[in-house]
Amino acid sequence: ASCILRALARGYDFRIGEWEILVVSPRKDGSLRDSRPCPICMRLIRAVGIKRVWYFQDGILVMEETQRKSPPSPLFRQKRIWT
């Protein structure tokens, strides 16, 4: 949420265009933690008008549309992207 608040302070308008956000949480060993935004962050993401959120869940990259109430759709299985 802090990155969104900083962007708003700098004058970004997320309602213009098709904004998307990627949330990644790497561990020290390079593996990825589940990184779905918390409910408060998702509320902020929706409020500012970001259209899609990308995050990892169980090693799968997931895209979630924020403007409609649909379940997240897994796109592909990702084993390791950090080297």
Side-chain angles (χ1 to χ4, degrees):
S2 63
C3 64
I4 295 171
L5 296 175
R6 281 194 304 267
L8 289 172
R10 292 180 181 151
Y12 285 89
D13 188 354
F14 293 105
R15 294 169 296 170
I16 299 172
E18 291 287 320
W19 287 86
E20 300 180 18
I21 190 169
L22 171 64
V23 183
V24 179
S25 181
R27 293 186 178 100
K28 288 184 180 182
D29 67 359
S31 63
L32 297 174
R33 292 186 189 107
D34 289 350
S35 57
R36 186 177 194 279
C38 72
I40 294 169
C41 292
M42 285 300 286
R43 196 173 320 149
L44 177 61
I45 288 167
R46 285 185 185 102
V48 299
I50 295 174
K51 305 290 189 252
R52 287 173 210 86
V53 178
W54 298 78
Y55 57 89
F56 284 91
Q57 187 167 349
D58 298 325
I60 300 171
L61 181 61
V62 177
M63 186 271 296
E64 185 172 339
E65 298 279 340
T66 61
Q67 302 305 311
R68 62 179 184 189
K69 298 290 183 182
S70 63
S73 61
L75 296 178
F76 60 87
R77 193 165 293 279
Q78 180 70 36
K79 292 186 179 176
R80 183 178 175 135
I81 64 169
W82 298 92
T83 57

